[in-house]
Amino acid sequence: MKKKHKKSYSDKQAFVVALDIFDVDIGVCINMSEKEIKQWVKKVSGKKYKHFDEEKVNDWDKDETDVGRTIYFLSGVILLFRFEKDQFRKSCGIIVHEVAHTVFHLCNTRRTPLVEDTDEIYAYMTESLMKKILYKLY
C-alpha cells in the first residue's frame, strides 16, 4: 500500500483567496513556471484574461534571485512565490513581504493611505491574508 503524500508548502500549486472586505480575489502561484502561471490565470479569469499583462511574468523563470512577485490584475492581485523545501520560515517571510505590497496597494487605491488612524485596517488585512494563504498552502 502506497503512503499518501502529505501536501507541502513548497509543492507546485495555485489557488485563490478572497479578500471579502474589498470584494477582490488574490491569486497565489507557488513554484510554477511562466507558462503554467499564464495558463492558470487564463483558466481562472476567463474572458478577463485579455486584461492580464503577460510581460509582468515574462522573466520569472530566468530570474534566480526573484523569490516573490506581486502583480496587479484588474481590481485584484496575483502573487508569485518560489519556495525552497525545508525553508518554511524563509517562505513565510516572503509571503508577508508580498502581502504587505498587496495591502498597501489595495488600501491606497481605495483612498486609505497608511497613517496612524488607518494602521489597524492594514494590520487586520495583513493578518487575514496571511491566515488565508497559510491555510490553503499546506
Side-chain angles (χ1 to χ4, degrees), residues 16 20 37 42 45-46 51 54 63 74-75 90 105 109 119 124 127-128 137:
V16 175
D20 298 329
I37 293 164
K42 188 177 237 177
S45 65
H51 301 289
E54 289 185 346
D63 191 340
L74 298 173
S75 63
K90 180 179 177 183
H105 172 76
T109 59
D119 71 334
Y124 276 114
E127 176 185 358
S128 176
L137 191 60

Side-chain angles (χ1 to χ4, degrees), residues 6-120:
K6 186 178 177 187
K7 186 175 169 184
S8 172
Y9 71 93
S10 62
D11 288 347
K12 185 182 293 193
Q13 58 185 299
F15 53 85
V16 175
V17 295
L19 187 59
D20 298 329
I21 190 170
F22 285 155
D23 193 28
V24 297
D25 290 329
I26 311 298
V28 179
C29 298
I30 312 294
N31 291 341
M32 294 173 69
S33 69
E34 294 171 20
K35 182 179 179 181
E36 292 167 328
I37 293 164
K38 291 173 187 176
Q39 288 172 338
W40 181 78
V41 172
K42 188 177 237 177
K43 178 182 167 187
V44 297
S45 65
K47 292 179 182 179
K48 294 178 183 178
Y49 186 79
K50 66 183 176 188
H51 301 289
F52 181 65
D53 184 358
E54 289 185 346
E55 289 187 22
K56 301 287 185 188
V57 187
N58 281 349
D59 62 344
W60 180 250
D61 290 347
K62 295 176 187 132
D63 191 340
E64 294 177 17
T65 60
D66 197 355
V67 293
R69 189 177 295 181
T70 301
I71 300 172
Y72 307 121
F73 176 43
L74 298 173
S75 63
V77 176
I78 299 168
L79 301 176
L80 309 182
F81 296 110
R82 189 175 289 123
F83 295 153
E84 298 173 49
K85 188 177 179 178
D86 300 325
Q87 295 292 319
F88 181 70
R89 289 179 181 94
K90 180 179 177 183
S91 299
C92 285
I94 297 165
I95 296 169
V96 78
H97 177 102
E98 298 306 326
V99 164
H101 286 304
T102 300
V103 170
F104 295 148
H105 172 76
L106 293 173
C107 286
N108 282 323
T109 59
R110 286 152 178 88
R111 298 180 311 277
T112 310
L114 178 57
V115 294
E116 189 175 348
D117 291 341
T118 63
D119 71 334
E120 201 65 24

